Amino acid sequence: MIRVIVLLVSYSMIDYRTQAPPILREFLTYHETIQGHSKKTVDEYFLDLRTFFRYIKVEKGCVPRTAVLDEISIDDVDLQLIKSVSLADIYAYLSFLSRDRLKNSKNPGAGYGLMASSRARKVATIRSFYKYLVTKAKLLDESPIQELDSPRMRQSLPRYLTLDESIQLLESIEGENAERDFCIVTLFLNCGIRISELVGLNLTDVRGDRLRVLGKGNKERVVYLNTACQNAIEDWLAVRSQSGAADPYALFITRKHTRITKAGVHYMLKQRFTAAGLDSSKYSAHKLRHTAATLMLQNGVDVRTLQEVLGHEHLNTTQIYTHVDSDALRDAAQSNPLGQVQAKPRRGRPPKQKEG
């Protein structure tokens, strides 16, 4: 069995430009400069590939099996080693991830075996790397993992607030920073923006009834503001304009006049959920995004429009919300014109009588 000791490394210490071998560095640079992926995304790609090739070096006998996996250097990873990887090697790696890899590097007591979603992301990274070598770098004729399926994931329905709970949350916001917090919650519930998108908003992003949002992969989109959002922004700006902000561009600032952070928003929401009588352990900024999506679908917004509003790259990401509204599903079943057709009664058995 491969020996695993996890070393805690902060993201600030990760720099693929100096830590990755040339062939990996070219792939990562391509994603950052050409594909426009964020630094955090590219760092995740690097970490995924680093763990993978550390494992491969052990399996191929490049280092002793007694080596500590997270201390193995990948400086010598080259095309020859990359070409030697087979589909069987990938399956063995996935088995290692599901059985022997720590679930949480920050909490060794959490046990072993990564979730299917984590393994699927790592498969996607490896697949993307080999696809790059085949289609862009032209260093391989074919990918050894083109037939590999991603781990099957259990589809869970998103948790969300009901309409009454959403109103309850909004109506409970009062006291210090009330205008700011009400505006933030209103944007989450009406626009479905991500927390990273919200904290990145600048004053210049508000343009009348439109909000310029910078989403994942630095993709820009326009979100239209309804009356509630416009009024909430106007009320907040009336207060904010009196605060000499250290960041003159930030739309949302703290009491110290600095741009609000994701941690600050999470803390604020936890307090506001509790004050509204809602379980703060069950809800978060992302759950408010789920709420916005669900309420829009329940009130007639089609799924493709919702895809644009939420900034989803793929429609199947948005379609999870179509499974939430059980009332709509029940109505759809009842509206089927064949819903009233019944089997002919068998001999000796009286026909069923309609209720009511």
Side-chain angles (χ1 to χ4, degrees):
M1 179 181 292
I2 293 177
R3 186 179 172 208
V4 179
I5 296 180
V6 174
L7 306 178
L8 302 183
V9 181
S10 68
Y11 268 99
S12 61
M13 298 172 62
I14 298 171
D15 190 346
Y16 73 84
R17 295 171 298 178
T18 58
Q19 298 179 33
I23 196 163
L24 267 66
R25 186 164 61 244
E26 292 164 7
F27 163 74
L28 298 168
T29 301
Y30 167 77
H31 274 276
E32 185 169 11
T33 60
I34 305 302
Q35 294 295 319
H37 291 161
S38 68
K39 182 182 182 300
K40 182 178 179 180
T41 297
V42 176
D43 286 345
E44 290 283 359
Y45 286 170
F46 171 58
L47 294 177
D48 288 344
L49 291 172
R50 186 175 68 178
T51 302
F52 172 65
F53 282 111
R54 282 171 169 172
Y55 174 87
I56 291 298
K57 286 185 67 174
V58 174
E59 289 299 301
K60 299 293 182 181
C62 301
V63 295
R65 284 194 170 272
T66 55
V68 178
L69 185 70
D70 288 341
E71 293 180 355
I72 296 174
S73 170
I74 62 167
D75 291 345
D76 56 346
V77 169
D78 56 14
L79 187 60
Q80 182 178 352
L81 179 66
I82 292 168
K83 282 183 174 180
S84 72
V85 174
S86 66
L87 189 58
D89 293 326
I90 306 293
Y91 283 132
Y93 177 62
L94 290 178
S95 176
F96 160 74
L97 293 177
S98 66
R99 291 173 176 267
D100 304 315
R101 191 64 172 166
L102 275 174
K103 288 182 177 180
N104 188 339
S105 60
K106 296 181 180 180
N107 180 17
Y112 293 84
L114 299 186
M115 295 175 60
S117 57
S118 298
R119 286 182 276 129
R121 193 202 71 204
K122 294 179 185 301
V123 167
T125 300
I126 299 169
R127 180 181 284 112
S128 178
F129 175 60
Y130 275 94
K131 181 180 178 181
Y132 164 82
L133 295 178
V134 173
T135 62
K136 301 298 180 182
K138 309 295 184 183
L139 294 175
L140 294 179
D141 294 328
E142 62 179 9
S143 169
I145 64 169
Q146 59 188 5
E147 301 299 327
L148 179 67
D149 295 324
S150 292
R152 180 170 296 179
M153 292 182 286
R154 183 170 62 89
Q155 193 80 341
S156 59
L157 298 180
R159 188 188 298 275
Y160 62 96
L161 296 175
T162 64
L163 177 59
D164 288 341
E165 288 171 333
S166 300
I167 295 173
Q168 177 182 330
L169 173 61
L170 287 167
E171 291 183 341
S172 71
I173 298 176
E174 56 186 10
E176 191 174 16
N177 296 318
E179 294 86 357
R180 184 200 65 186
D181 296 354
F182 184 87
C183 186
I184 288 174
V185 174
T186 297
L187 289 179
F188 278 139
L189 288 173
N190 286 273
C191 304
I193 60 177
R194 302 177 177 94
I195 187 171
S196 58
E197 296 169 345
L198 180 126
V199 299
L201 288 173
N202 291 321
L203 291 168
T204 53
D205 292 327
V206 181
R207 305 169 183 178
D209 68 342
R210 294 179 297 169
L211 186 68
R212 173 188 173 273
V213 175
L214 193 62
K216 285 187 175 181
N218 292 322
K219 293 180 180 177
E220 183 179 319
R221 73 182 188 278
V222 172
V223 174
Y224 286 89
L225 303 171
N226 57 25
T227 302
C229 291
Q230 293 180 63
N231 290 341
I233 291 175
E234 183 179 341
D235 291 344
W236 159 236
L237 290 181
V239 178
R240 185 206 178 282
S241 61
Q242 301 170 12
S243 308
D247 187 338
Y249 304 105
L251 177 58
F252 295 109
I253 57 176
T254 67
R255 287 180 297 175
K256 296 181 178 179
H257 311 314
T258 57
R259 181 184 291 270
I260 198 168
T261 63
K262 287 192 284 187
V265 174
H266 282 307
Y267 177 79
M268 178 275 289
L269 288 176
K270 198 173 186 66
Q271 303 303 310
R272 295 302 185 183
F273 283 130
T274 300
L278 300 169
D279 189 344
S280 61
S281 66
K282 292 182 178 180
Y283 300 108
S284 63
H286 204 64
K287 298 302 185 292
L288 296 184
R289 175 171 160 87
H290 290 329
T291 300
T294 302
L295 292 177
M296 280 187 264
L297 269 179
Q298 289 176 343
N299 287 273
V301 177
D302 68 86
V303 70
R304 288 199 175 274
T305 300
L306 184 60
Q307 179 188 4
E308 295 295 324
V309 172
L310 298 178
H312 286 158
E313 184 175 358
H314 302 293
L315 183 62
N316 59 358
T317 308
T318 315
Q319 285 177 328
I320 184 174
Y321 297 107
T322 63
H323 302 294
V324 173
D325 189 357
S326 57
D327 289 337
L329 294 177
R330 188 178 295 107
D331 291 343
Q334 293 297 332
S335 65
N336 191 310
L338 297 177
Q340 303 303 319
V341 177
Q342 300 185 35
K344 291 181 179 180
R346 280 187 270 172
R347 186 176 300 173
R349 179 179 298 177
K352 287 185 178 180
Q353 300 295 321
K354 286 187 177 181
E355 295 182 3

